[in-house]
Amino acid sequence: MPSRPYDEDLLRRSFAVAQRSREAGDHPFGAVLADSNGMVLMEQGNGFSAEGHDRTAHAEKLLATRAGKTYALHVLAGATLYTSAEPCAMCAGAIYWAGIGRVVFGQTERGLKAMTGDNPENPTLDLPCEVVFAAGQRPTEVVGPLLEAEATGLQADFWNSRD
């Protein structure tokens, strides 16, 4: 359940970023960073193709890296990263290290794994991001899955066409 009145709108904005990524020929993932008042600070689509088939160029990791270089830790502690799919362990680590204090996601990592199967472009881990964040020394609030059916629709038929 969203805890802020703009959570669903900003999550849907991450879905739009994911859709644009898919339409551009990349993996259908998107992320949006907003400050503590819900003002959008940056957006990021998946970078697999754009970064030369870099399997680590996930939208959340790329956004967390950019955010960590751009904003002070106190700003990021109050910020929320909205993402079409639950951050994988790598992305959760990047979000944690960047200092982003809150994550709202659509599709679960487990649900994504069921859709991607053993696709070599996305060997999805079945590891909830909350497990990664819980191992840290500072809190990271997690809201999700939220609007999961919409989020899952972004992946529809995509991975079957990548075989």
Side-chain angles (χ1 to χ4, degrees), residues 38-108:
M39 185 180 86
V40 173
L41 301 173
M42 58 179 58
E43 297 180 344
Q44 180 67 55
N46 187 273
F48 173 76
S49 296
E51 299 290 329
H53 293 114
D54 180 357
R55 289 179 300 280
T56 68
H58 295 186
E60 304 90 339
K61 184 186 85 87
L62 294 172
L63 187 141
T65 298
R66 287 178 44 221
K69 292 177 179 179
T70 306
Y71 297 102
L73 199 52
H74 74 276
V75 172
L76 293 175
T80 301
L81 187 147
Y82 295 88
T83 178
S84 56
E86 182 175 10
C88 70
M90 174 187 68
C91 292
I95 291 164
Y96 172 80
W97 282 103
I100 298 167
R102 186 168 181 264
V103 171
V104 176
F105 70 87
Q107 185 178 25
T108 64

Side-chain angles (χ1 to χ4, degrees), residues 10-161:
L10 291 175
L11 185 58
R12 284 189 173 109
R13 186 163 172 170
S14 79
F15 297 171
V17 174
Q19 185 61 40
R20 286 194 307 269
S21 186
R22 181 178 177 152
E23 289 167 0
D26 221 319
H27 296 173
F29 299 100
V32 171
L33 184 70
D35 70 12
S36 59
N37 297 311
M39 185 180 86
V40 173
L41 301 173
M42 58 179 58
E43 297 180 344
Q44 180 67 55
N46 187 273
F48 173 76
S49 296
E51 299 290 329
H53 293 114
D54 180 357
R55 289 179 300 280
T56 68
H58 295 186
E60 304 90 339
K61 184 186 85 87
L62 294 172
L63 187 141
T65 298
R66 287 178 44 221
K69 292 177 179 179
T70 306
Y71 297 102
L73 199 52
H74 74 276
V75 172
L76 293 175
T80 301
L81 187 147
Y82 295 88
T83 178
S84 56
E86 182 175 10
C88 70
M90 174 187 68
C91 292
I95 291 164
Y96 172 80
W97 282 103
I100 298 167
R102 186 168 181 264
V103 171
V104 176
F105 70 87
Q107 185 178 25
T108 64
E109 185 78 346
R110 177 168 285 168
L112 179 63
K113 183 179 179 186
M115 292 183 86
T116 62
D118 63 353
N119 189 295
E121 290 182 9
N122 196 10
T124 306
L125 298 166
D126 185 359
L127 179 64
C129 66
E130 287 180 294
V131 172
V132 177
F133 294 136
Q137 296 181 47
R138 64 176 162 250
T140 305
E141 180 185 353
V142 177
V143 176
L146 186 63
L147 306 174
E148 190 168 19
E150 288 178 49
T152 300
L154 295 165
Q155 306 291 331
D157 301 324
F158 181 83
W159 300 101
N160 295 340
S161 68

